[in-house]
Amino acid sequence: MSTTQTNKIETIKASSTKINEVDFSNLSFGSVFTDHLFECDYKNGEWQKPVIKPYAPFLLDPSTRVFHYGQAIFEGMKAYKDENDDVWLFRPDENYKRFNTSAVRMAMPEVPEDIFMSGLNQLLQLDEAWIKKGKGNAMYIRPFMIATGTGVIANPSDNYKFMIILSPVSSYYSGEVKVLIAEHYSRAANGGIGAAKAAGNYAAQFYPTNLANKEGFQQVIWTDDATHTKLEEAGTMNVFFRINDTLLTAPVSERILDGVTRKTLIDLAKSIGIQVEVRSVLVSELVEAAKNGSLKEIFGAGTAAVVSVISGFSYQDVYYELPKIEFTMALQLKTKLENIQNKLEEDNFGWTVKI
Ligand SMILES: Cc1ncc(COP(=O)(O)O)c(C=O)c1O
């Protein structure tokens, strides 16, 4: 290992690379990590000196707060390499802002912009060889923060660890996605933590999603907790419904994550003349539209899968199959978004940021 000082961040380089052990044509999403990670600890009320160092496990005391009280948040973003070998981030400011929104809601310290952005940039530069060119290929970036204070006492921790790890990914193909509309379980409630990217939100989804899986559905579309009449999110994605030629999606709220892909698709759709309505979409409206043939498409939107087409949904034990359409809005929007992310099409929105 050799230690060099790159700008402000101390960098301890790995003595060898694992890159030659990786089959980039056969990557399973989120399972391979690059040679280095970024780390910055928070103690005595302030952020300490950040470091970039070899990716490795680390030790924590069994009483560490994150294990007991779940103070943990994360982000999911991607970097892309264009044909000239330049590396681009997509709307990183949005992820940064959302990370700190999550931190505040979980009583955790906000991460200063300089630590987040320089950590991200310098880590990506160091492990740049792991980012492959070509549509579908990207570097999935996982910034996260955990409570590292010790003691089994249900109070916010004094100490925290902020880290960034990198995982190369290729096209995410989820196969056929049939969804179950939630009638009993909820992902989030008013006044809760649904709008935060808090680890516990995901743990809470696993059991009802497992039940849905057993019935042959890949995902659950969550409804509002109070009445289960409004359609909100699908798994780790925001969700869009096309009725006739209008795209509908729920407004963000305390219960819904403010997805970067969601807001991007709304702007892209409007820019190509698609009518978009951001409003509560009722389950009854969806069932009615499925019955009268005006429901054309449902798709999820999120960083991992970009756009994930839903082939049908079940509600009150009745399965509604969606029509097979040749030119879908889902594909049109996905193509446009991936072209912008991969610098194959002009970015008129200023969303792409070079590292
Ligand atoms: C619950 C939830 N909703 C929506 C999204 C989509 O958000 P984004 O487009 O920012 O990835 C995600 C993924 O991050 C998510 O976990």
Side-chain angles (χ1 to χ4, degrees), residues 174-180 209 212-213 215-220 311:
S174 42
E176 189 180 32
V177 181
K178 294 182 186 173
V179 296
L180 185 68
T209 305
N213 292 161
E215 288 182 49
F217 301 99
Q218 286 70 40
Q219 279 295 351
V220 175
S311 58

Side-chain angles (χ1 to χ4, degrees), residues 161-234:
K161 189 180 283 297
F162 169 58
M163 289 184 131
I164 306 175
I165 53 175
L166 304 176
S167 177
V169 294
S170 48
S171 274
Y172 188 105
Y173 178 66
S174 42
E176 189 180 32
V177 181
K178 294 182 186 173
V179 296
L180 185 68
I181 294 185
E183 293 172 50
H184 171 68
Y185 292 103
S186 302
R187 193 193 86 87
N190 279 338
I193 58 168
K197 228 167 145 54
N201 280 334
Y202 299 83
Q205 292 187 57
F206 293 160
Y207 175 69
T209 305
N210 280 347
L211 295 180
N213 292 161
K214 281 190 194 134
E215 288 182 49
F217 301 99
Q218 286 70 40
Q219 279 295 351
V220 175
I221 291 196
W222 303 104
T223 48
D224 66 294
D225 62 298
T227 65
H228 294 288
T229 57
K230 295 177 199 150
L231 298 155
E232 306 220 307
E233 288 198 83

Side-chain angles (χ1 to χ4, degrees), residues 13 16-25 27 32-36 79-82 85-87 120-134 137-140 166-169 355:
K13 285 197 181 156
S16 61
T17 177
K18 301 171 292 190
I19 198 166
N20 299 323
E21 296 159 26
V22 177
D23 178 1
F24 281 88
S25 60
L27 290 169
V32 168
F33 295 92
T34 65
D35 292 324
H36 300 91
Y80 309 83
K81 189 176 269 180
D82 71 13
D85 286 335
D86 287 326
V87 176
L120 185 55
N121 274 264
Q122 292 182 37
L123 183 64
L124 281 167
Q125 278 167 25
L126 187 62
D127 282 343
E128 176 265 311
W130 291 74
I131 315 175
K132 298 298 170 194
K133 286 192 259 202
N137 294 328
M139 182 63 81
Y140 183 78
L166 304 176
S167 177
V169 294
I355 70 150

Side-chain angles (χ1 to χ4, degrees), residues 320-334:
Y320 302 86
E321 181 86 26
L322 268 80
K324 303 263 180 289
I325 302 178
E326 207 171 336
F327 298 106
T328 61
M329 286 183 182
L331 186 62
Q332 205 181 346
L333 292 171
K334 181 178 184 177

Side-chain angles (χ1 to χ4, degrees), residues 98 187 197 202 233 235-238 257 259-262 301-303:
R98 193 171 65 186
R187 193 193 86 87
K197 228 167 145 54
Y202 299 83
E233 288 198 83
T236 58
M237 294 181 293
N238 295 108
L257 194 82
V260 180
T261 318
R262 171 189 172 279
T303 298

